[in-house]
């Protein structure tokens, strides 16, 4: 039949199928329904809407097949109803629903078919969507639900029809179920009515549905399955409860829970309702926990447990419903803690006690001794306790199927996990509660006989260890005085000066080798107090218990145990040196576990092996080499075998572990390399090299192998390393890397591998000239590729190749010329990401032979760079290049080009910096002198020339320092110029020149600051330049008091406040002992402007990341932040939020313990305050102005910054934060864009269940944004803004589909999201594809 289905069917096609629905053959009926379904799916939305007769006959046919004796025919009829209701006339919906609800299924034993059919109808009807006007179809569907379906569910007309001649509805479907004790799935229909049409239901309808649901829950005739469904229905309905209905319903629950004759089954049911409501409406439900939580905790109290245990001793059998009630109570407690965290703070101690009490609850197993020990040191006689548990049932004569206490223990472990994850970043961790109470209890339950519980125990302890690692203070180790703080670490001094950054830009090979783990990590020394010390104290007990689990347990338990050990190593930065003898053997056994060819068992075994390899990697990375050496003889062969594994993820993990072992085997981590080390390294080398060219090797494995080869070649460089790898193998490996750079699949990995080789190279004799020149030219060619990540990596590698003397020695003049020609296009591409490194490469080459790279093309490209807007790092790189050219005496052509081709046409400030730098370091070779610019300043007529001359002289004074002949009056004479630009240029130039000669310039500036208001404004700019650039802090301190007085006085003026605040903040850093207390005093000033000035000043004070003045800042920083965040002025609070962001980013150690107090102050400011929204008359129009918009925007910006630097501290507030982010998606445009970025971060940082819980809200918010239409009078900016927000929403939607696997599932909680996502893919396919391509490119 299906072969004749037309693409554009009509009602006639439907009519031809209707007689076949009554055919005697069930197969014909089924096929007719199948064809009908396809016609309905293919047909136009209105192809049946005008043919009421055919639609009515179709309804009759479907009703007939719903009462069919064949189950498959019935199921197909139900499937046809969905597409039919979207095509049928609106007037037929009511009669059809009425007929289905009254359908008597006498021909079948399944009485749930009518309800299934009704559910299919409700789900398919057009429903109200947020932000979308309700169409006539939606209103008609709602009318049918209200007038027909709800009365059929509850048995009476809820909303008056206005007609008295209509008969009363028959007994409701739910009433029948309740009376007969059956489940016809009518409760599922009620759930869908609430979920789909809840926003349109009137309060009497909500009340009626709630009432019948409550009656089902409390009826003794209702079955357990029906009651569970009723609980789900109640949680869905709760979202639409009014405040009065919610209060009334919860009051009824409270009275029921107070009933002294309450049975365990009813108690379980009521508590389950509370838990489900906490998850569905956490914000509205939270305030009621003060009354409700004690009822849940009483179920878990010690008194009730003792009483129940005493009663059970007098009876032969225990009542399983008591344990079910406890399970429900613990589940509800978990929901309270995760969804209503702030409201549960007062009950957290009681929750911990209850969870620990039932974590060891095993009434059928006598284990009193271990309960007393609670994880303490065990005797050797207890080593076999895990094996003995397997014979428990035989010894006790107890049927384990009757024991459900393990469910109680599992729920208790989940409560503990929630407490750790949601409340583990504040007082509970700092005051030792988690380690003094929870951790020992978890360790004691390693002996748990039920695997599901044991996995939850291990997961909870792992979460605690991870929290400890996240809370660990950031420390940097030093070697020979060099701080290992990344590739581009800050200069040693705390002042961020432009000139001081030159060395860090050139010393990249040394810094990279240090950051790559080139120094053996010291043995971890835990702090005497705090979580780190607590973890170190219990680590022996954990390792002892885990080592037993690794010997005796199943694969899932072994994997969880390995994960726990891995997180311990990460949190303690080692810490297992004393226990390696206990760990290595079971670890290698797990690594070599047998794998079946296919199926779930193979996946489990591979996951175990991958986790074992991850543990090997972190052990090798975090422990000193001498502690690892005794075990490398066993580890390396196991790794070599795993590298050859046919499962790609196992091989990749093995290669990553091999890299860490290479670091451990090579100097200087290995202080005395031996022949054994050489044997191990060559074996790893052979395995790695074999995998790279193999045809059957996965691309990911090849890329990892290439990277590992690059690291191995780099680590075996130098006098000591050369003995570890044969010279011929080194050359062969280098040739292999060069060859793989030409392969598209491994090109990027090969570039990064060469980067490691170049960074770690120590001897030029380890390379052939042909290889270095070939690689350099290949890297230059890669700069023209389309892949941005490939271009960036190629440029970074080329920079390393040029910066390292061992490889730079092989670059001849011809190669240098070719490399320069390949770099020049980057200078004119306006890509700032690549421009800075390209300039540094040119500067490095210019240091050796500037004349060889200076030609017309190079000069033209540099002039182009100097005439475009640049960021500060790129300006620094440009000045380094100019300085290198000048020092080599090759700056004449460049100087002439800047004077003629750029000159006054460019940015005077940037051009002046370039010319001033070239003038000082080029000397006589540049063809101009300092006096020429002095004469230009005095004789020039136009402002542009004066500004350029002032900028050149200021930069020259900064570079020449005390040898500068320039005097302050040369600049101050131009403060009175009539131009708007010249006085400011003179002030900036005065400050730069003064930064190089404090003793000459600062007294003059101070003596002039008492003058006119205009001079004060200009002199503040001069002071700012001095404080920004000067290295001579000792020279400033004698003038600091006078400077402070003058700056504070000058900053009282509104025009001077912004620049004065910056000067005050920077000056406070120089002498914090004196000035920080003064700033704190100013915060309580009665003038809002003064407080605002100080708040802005503190932003610059906190922005300095140096810790030398933290001792003066620590006593007052929290009180200052709290005071400013509670300031009554809106503008001051907005400034306070930016200051808080600065402090959180630069002073995390000082304020992180107080985040639980400070962060809620920021979250509070994201709320829309109606009292700040006012209406303004603008001509004939009225316009709403939100005075709180800027404050909200700053609050969201602060929270966005905290997500990067302090996300663990946000965990206790995560539900509230997530809600505010979702709410911000429908706020003003700027806030919406920010919230979309925050939402993307939350998808990866927050637990998946938090994201899943809000998918319905997110779908509504996203649909609302995408459904917005431009106004008729919208201008271009409005259209661009709408396009930007649509792109952001679609990109966030694509992220959900990638980062939240549950969003693609079939669960009811994600149905709204699935509907929304299908709608987006249908309506916005171009935006979806663009977002997917963008994310895919970012991942490359």
């Amino acid at each position: 039949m299906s072969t004749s289905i037309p693409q554009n069917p009509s009602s006639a096609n439907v009519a031809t199928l209707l007689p076949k629905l009554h055919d005697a053959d069930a197969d014909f009926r089924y096929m007719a329904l199948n064809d009908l379904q396809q016609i309905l799916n293919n047909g136009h939305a209105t192809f049946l809407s005008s043919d009421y007769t055919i639609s009515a006959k179709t309804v009759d046919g479907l009703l007939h097949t719903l009462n069919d004796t064949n189950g498959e025919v019935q199921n197909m009829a139900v499937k046809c109803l969905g597409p039919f209701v979207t095509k049928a006339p609106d007037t037929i919906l009511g009669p059809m629903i009425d007929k289905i609800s009254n359908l008597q299924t006498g021909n079948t034993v399944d009485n749930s078919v009518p309800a299934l059919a009704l559910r299919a109808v409700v789900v398919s009807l057009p429903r109200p969507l947020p932000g979308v006007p309700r169409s006539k179809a939606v209103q008609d569907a709602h009318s049918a639900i209200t007038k027909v379906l709800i009365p059929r569910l509850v048995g009476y007309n809820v909303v008056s029809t206005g007609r008295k001649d209509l008969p009363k509805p028959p007994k409701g479907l739910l009433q029948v179920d309740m009376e007969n004790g059956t489940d016809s799935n009518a409760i599922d229909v009620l759930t869908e009515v609430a979920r789909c049409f809840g926003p349109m239901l009137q309060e009497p309808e909500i009340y009626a549905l709630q009432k019948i649901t409550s009656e089902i829950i409390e009826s003794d005739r209702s079955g357990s399955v029906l009651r569970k469904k009723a609980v789900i229905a109640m949680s869905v309905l709760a979202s639409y409860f009014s405040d009065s209905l919610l209060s009334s319903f919860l009051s009824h629950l409270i009275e029921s829970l107070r009933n002294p004759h309450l049975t365990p089954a009813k108690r379980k049911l009521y508590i389950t309702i509370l838990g489900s409501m906490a998850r569905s409406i956490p914000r509205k439900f939270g305030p009621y926990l003060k009354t409700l939580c004690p009822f849940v905790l009483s179920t878990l109290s010690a008194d009730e447990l003792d009483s129940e245990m005493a009663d059970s001793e007098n009876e032969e059998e225990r009542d399983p419903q008591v344990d079910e009630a406890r399970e429900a109570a613990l589940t509800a407690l978990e929901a309270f803690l995760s969804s209503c965290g702030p409201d549960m703070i007062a009950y957290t101690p009681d929750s911990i006690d209850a969870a620990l009490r039932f974590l060891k609850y095993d009434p059928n197993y006598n284990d009193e001794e271990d309960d007393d020990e609670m994880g303490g040191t065990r005797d050797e006689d207890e080593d076999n306790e895990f094996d003995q548990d397997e014979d428990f049932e035989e010894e006790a004569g107890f049927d384990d199927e009757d024991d459900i206490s393990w469910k109680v223990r599992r729920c208790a472990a989940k409560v503990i996990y929630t407490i750790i994850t949601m409340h583990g970043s504040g007082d509970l961790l700092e005051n030792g509660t988690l380690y003094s109470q929870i951790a020992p209890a978890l360790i004691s339950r390693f002996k748990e006989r039920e695997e599901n519980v044991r996995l939850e125990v291990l997961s909870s302890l792992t979460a605690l260890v991870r929290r400890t690692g996240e809370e660990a203070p950031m420390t940097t180790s030093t070697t020979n005085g060099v701080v290992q703080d990344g590739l581009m670490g800050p200069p040693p001094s705390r002042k961020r000066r432009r000139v001081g950054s030159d060395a860090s830009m050139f010393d990249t090979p040394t810094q990279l080798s240090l950051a790559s783990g080139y120094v053996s990590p010291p043995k971890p020394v835990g702090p005497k107090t705090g979580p780190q010390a607590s973890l170190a104290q219990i680590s022996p007990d954990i390792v002892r218990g885990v080592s037993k689990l690794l010997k005796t347990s199943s694969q899932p338990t072994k994997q969880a145990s390995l994960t726990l050990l891995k997180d311990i190593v990460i949190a303690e930065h080692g810490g297992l040196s004393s226990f390696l003898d206990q760990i290595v053997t079971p670890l290698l056994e797990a690594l070599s576990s047998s794998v079946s060819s296919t199926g779930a068992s193979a996946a489990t075994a591979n996951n175990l092996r991958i986790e074992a390899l991850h543990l090997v990697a972190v052990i090798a990375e975090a422990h000193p080499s001498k502690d690892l050496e005794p075990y490398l003889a066993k580890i390396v062969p196991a790794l070599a075998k795993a590298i050859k594994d046919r499962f790609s993820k196992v091989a990749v993990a093995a290669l990553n572990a091999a890299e860490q072992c290479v670091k451990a085997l090579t100097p200087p981590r290995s202080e005395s390399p031996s022949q054994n080390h050489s044997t191990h390294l060559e074996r790893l080398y052979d395995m790695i090299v074999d995998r790279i060219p193999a045809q059957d090797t996965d691309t990911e494995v090849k890329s990892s192998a290439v990277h590992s080869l690059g690291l191995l070649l780099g680590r075996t460089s130098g006098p000591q390393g050369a003995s570890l790898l044969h010279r011929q193998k080194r050359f062969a490996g280098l040739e292999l890397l060069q060859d793989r750079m030409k392969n598209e699949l491994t090109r990027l990995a090969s570039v990064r591998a060469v980067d490691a080789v170049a960074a770690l190279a120590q001897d030029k004799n380890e390379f052939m000239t042909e290889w270095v020149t070939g690689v350099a030219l290949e890297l230059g060619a890669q700069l023209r590729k389309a892949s941005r990540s490939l271009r960036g990596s190629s440029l970074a590698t080329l920079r390393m190749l040029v910066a390292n003397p061992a490889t730079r020695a092989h670059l001849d003049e011809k190669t240098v010329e070719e490399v320069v020609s390949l770099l020049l296009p980057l200078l004119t591409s306006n890509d700032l990401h690549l421009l800075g490194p390209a300039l540094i490469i040119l500067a490095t080459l210019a240091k050796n032979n500037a004349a060889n790279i200076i030609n017309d093309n190079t000069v033209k490209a540099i002039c182009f760079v100097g005439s475009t807007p640049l960021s500060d790092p790129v300006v620094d790189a440009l000045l380094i290049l100019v300085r290198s050219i000048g020092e080599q005496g090759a700056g004449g052509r460049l100087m002439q080009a800047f004077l003629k081709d750029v000159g006054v046409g460019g940015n005077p400030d940037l051009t002046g910096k370039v010319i001033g730098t070239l003038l000082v370091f080029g000397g006589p070779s540049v063809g101009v002198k300092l006096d020429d610019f002095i004469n230009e300043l005095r004789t020039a007529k136009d402002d542009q020339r004066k500004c350029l001359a002032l900028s050149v002289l200021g930069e020259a004074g900064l570079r020449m320092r005390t040898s500068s002949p320039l005097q302050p009056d040369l600049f101050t004479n131009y403060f009175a110029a009539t131009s708007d630009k010249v006085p400011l240029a003179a002030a900036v130039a005065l400050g730069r020149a003064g930064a190089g000669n404090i003793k000459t310039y600062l007294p003059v500036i101070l003596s002039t600051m008492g003058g006119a208001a205009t001079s004060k404004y200009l002199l503040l700019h001069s002071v700012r330049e001095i404080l920004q650039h000067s290295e001579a802090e000792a020279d400033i301190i004698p003038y600091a008091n006078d400077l402070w007085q003058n700056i504070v006085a000058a900053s009282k003026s509104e025009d001077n406040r912004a620049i004065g605040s910056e000067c005050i903040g920077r000056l406070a850093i120089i002498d914090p002992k004196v000035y920080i207390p003064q700033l704190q005093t100013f915060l309580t000033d009665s003038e809002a402007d003064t407080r605002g000035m100080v708040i802005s000043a503190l932003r610059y004070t906190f922005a300095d990341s140096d810790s030398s003045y933290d001792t003066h800042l620590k006593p007052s920083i929290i009180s200052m932040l709290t005071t400013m965040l509670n300031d009554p002025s809106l503008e001051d609070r907005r400034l306070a939020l930016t200051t808080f962001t600065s402090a959180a980013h630069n002073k995390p150690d000082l304020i992180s313990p107080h985040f639980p107090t400070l962060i809620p102050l920021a979250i509070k400011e994201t709320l829309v305050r109606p009292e700040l929204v006012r209406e303004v008359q603008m001509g004939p129009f009225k316009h709403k102005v939100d005075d709180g918009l800027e404050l909200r925007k700053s609050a969201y910006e602060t929270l966005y910054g905290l997500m990067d630097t302090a996300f663990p501290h946000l965990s206790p507030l995560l539900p509230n934060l997530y809600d505010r982010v979702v709410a911000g998606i429908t706020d003003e445009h700027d806030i919406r864009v920010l919230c979309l970025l925050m939402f993307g971060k939350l998808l990866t940082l927050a637990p998946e269940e938090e994201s899943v819980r809000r998918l319905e809200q997110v779908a509504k918010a996203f649909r609302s944004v995408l459904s917005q239409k431009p106004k008729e009078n919208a201008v271009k900016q409005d259209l661009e803004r709408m396009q930007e927000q649509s792109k952001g929403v679609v990109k966030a939607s694509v992220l959900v589909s990638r980062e939240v696997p549950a969003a693609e599932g079939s669960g009811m909680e994600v149905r709204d999201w699935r509907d929304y996502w299908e709608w987006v893919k249908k309506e916005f396919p171009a935006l979806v594809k663009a977002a997917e391509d963008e994310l895919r490119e970012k991942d490359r």
Side-chain angles (χ1 to χ4, degrees), residues 572-590:
E572 292 195 70
H573 308 293
L576 295 185
S577 297
S578 304
F579 314 109
L580 291 178
D581 56 336
Q582 304 177 41
I583 295 173
V584 170
T585 300
L587 172 60
L588 297 180
E589 290 176 356

Side-chain angles (χ1 to χ4, degrees), residues 494-571:
R494 69 167 176 252
K495 298 299 291 181
R496 291 173 299 283
R497 59 188 72 81
R498 191 177 69 238
V499 198
S501 62
D502 296 2
S504 66
M505 288 191 173
F506 280 112
D507 197 23
T508 19
T510 304
Q511 292 187 355
L512 180 63
S513 63
L514 290 172
S516 299
Y518 206 53
V519 179
S520 188
K523 286 189 176 182
V525 180
K528 294 181 179 180
T529 59
Q532 287 279 314
S534 301
L535 175 59
Q537 187 177 359
I538 67 166
S539 289
D541 292 334
I542 296 177
V543 173
R544 187 180 300 110
V546 165
S547 62
K548 296 174 184 177
L549 291 176
L550 290 174
K551 296 175 184 177
T552 61
S553 301
S554 63
Q555 288 186 344
T557 298
K558 289 181 179 179
Q559 182 178 340
S561 301
L562 294 175
T563 302
L564 175 57
L565 290 176
K566 179 188 69 177
D567 288 318
I568 289 176
V569 175
I570 294 172

Side-chain angles (χ1 to χ4, degrees), residues 721-777:
S723 62
L724 298 175
L725 186 65
H726 196 274
R727 184 179 180 85
Q728 293 302 320
K729 288 191 173 185
R730 168 178 295 280
F731 287 154
L734 292 174
E735 291 295 333
L736 181 58
L737 290 180
Q738 185 178 7
D739 178 66
R740 301 313 297 184
M741 287 178 65
K742 302 173 184 177
N743 185 292
E744 186 175 359
L745 296 178
T746 56
R747 182 179 291 154
L748 181 59
S750 301
V751 167
R752 291 170 177 169
V754 173
D755 189 17
V757 172
L760 300 171
Q762 300 181 44
D763 188 352
K764 67 177 183 178
N765 296 324
E766 296 172 348
F767 301 93
M768 293 182 291
T769 300
E770 295 81 3
W771 185 85
V772 176
T773 56
V775 165
L777 295 176

